[in-house]
Amino acid sequence: MHTTQARIRLNGPTDLLTTVPLLLGFHPEHSLVVVGLLNGELQCTFRVDLPGSADHLEHLPDLTAQLSLNECDGCVVVVYGEAELAQAVAERVASRYHAAGVIPLDLLRVAEGRWFSLTCEKPCCPDEGLVLPETSAASCEVAVAGGYAEADRNAIAAQLAPAPPGRRAAVARAVMAALTADAELDWAAQRDLDLQAIDRWMGAKALPDPEAIAAVGLALGDLDIRDYALRRINSGQFEGNRLDLWIWVARHLEDDLVAPAATVAGFAAYRFGNGVLALEAFELALQSSPHYRLAQMLMAALQAGIPPGALSRIGCGDREEAEVSD
């Protein structure tokens, strides 16, 4: 199950607040998080950095368009930070969302392991806040669906850090050997080998060795093979969309080959519901190949708030539905 497919039942602030880090992929700090709802069910989650102070609210990104794109009719606003800034941010965004027809159902603040209501003045919400539990029934549902939370945003980026030099050098040698061998194959034979490589490693429990990393990395350089991998990801047949495989391959490739693998990794993360990891992967792809079109398109879609389910036809082109389901 993808986190985007899980039916998450939120029965109060603690359910929501313990679930947010799993939805984002890390524990936020100095952040505005908006949880979009449709008919009371969780629809989407967005996070942006807070400005430096309440005097600089004009620098706060507006998420109204993203909420509207996801057809949200309600939301919960959560600000991670100090009290004065949190109050100013919450009031500003609540006014915007209400004007757009997205009703803010609650305004909350989180700081130092405690949570505070910014609207409730009853004894159930004391001024000193309430202890935020580590887990809840809702967070357990998300964890079962594959959600997890790193300590911070840097830990997400570290997942895509280059492999140790020795292993990358071994893959580079394997790439050169594969290119030499491929020169002796005709197009049809090479295509069959590339498709077999994608199928084999998507279905494998282990991660590929240097020779296989080279084979997969080179195969993804062919747009048809890359799109075949995207369709296999969209099939939903593979645990975690084999995100571990795509990250493993991308981490071992040199700059001239990494863009396709990093883009496929980002797509797998996006479809799984991990937008932060997807963004890091797309940035890696564009650092090595600034004009790589699919990475540009997917990054733009992610930043616009397009839901993962809208990507189900990516990689299909003009192919018939029957081919996609094979």
Side-chain angles (χ1 to χ4, degrees), residues 103-248:
I103 307 304
L105 303 179
D106 211 346
L107 308 179
L108 306 171
R109 180 173 80 92
V110 176
E112 298 180 351
R114 304 182 75 86
W115 69 272
F116 308 77
S117 171
L118 300 179
T119 57
C120 180
E121 298 179 352
K122 297 179 181 179
C124 59
C125 296
D127 291 343
E128 66 271 19
L130 296 166
V131 175
L132 181 61
E134 292 185 4
T135 62
S136 66
S139 68
C140 290
E141 290 181 26
V142 177
V144 169
Y148 66 95
E150 298 283 3
D152 54 31
R153 178 69 181 265
N154 290 336
I156 298 286
Q159 294 182 43
L160 289 158
R167 292 216 306 262
R168 285 169 62 90
V171 172
R173 291 192 296 270
V175 165
M176 294 304 297
L179 290 172
T180 301
D182 291 351
E184 301 177 4
L185 297 175
D186 62 25
W187 177 87
Q190 184 60 59
R191 179 181 173 83
D192 285 344
L193 288 176
D194 290 344
L195 292 172
Q196 290 171 21
I198 298 298
D199 283 336
R200 175 189 175 189
W201 289 106
M202 287 195 74
K205 294 183 179 180
L207 292 170
D209 59 16
E211 288 72 22
I213 293 171
V216 173
L218 288 169
L220 293 176
D222 183 316
L223 297 186
D224 284 341
I225 303 300
R226 182 205 66 189
D227 288 353
Y228 176 75
L230 300 182
R231 298 200 299 278
R232 299 297 282 157
I233 291 169
N234 271 332
S235 73
Q237 297 176 14
F238 302 95
E239 183 177 355
N241 292 338
R242 286 312 316 269
L243 183 54
D244 60 334
L245 168 64
W246 309 120
I247 289 177
W248 178 258

Side-chain angles (χ1 to χ4, degrees), residues 34 36 44 46 63-72 75 97 102:
V34 183
C44 55
F46 298 105
L63 297 171
T64 306
Q66 287 87 334
L67 292 170
S68 298
L69 182 63
N70 283 269
E71 302 179 338
C72 298
C75 68
Y97 302 156
V102 182

Side-chain angles (χ1 to χ4, degrees), residues 260-326:
T263 302
V264 172
F267 180 79
Y270 194 164
R271 286 289 278 142
F272 194 75
N274 192 332
V276 177
L277 182 55
L279 183 61
E280 293 288 343
F282 297 146
E283 288 180 346
L284 173 61
L286 293 172
Q287 285 170 7
S288 64
S289 184
H291 303 293
Y292 196 70
R293 182 169 173 76
L294 182 61
Q296 292 175 331
M297 293 171 57
L298 290 172
M299 178 178 279
L302 181 62
Q303 293 175 332
I306 293 177
L311 306 181
S312 62
R313 294 291 300 174
I314 293 290
C316 294
D318 297 326
R319 297 170 177 84
E320 296 296 328
E321 192 70 36
E323 181 188 346
V324 177
S325 63
D326 285 344

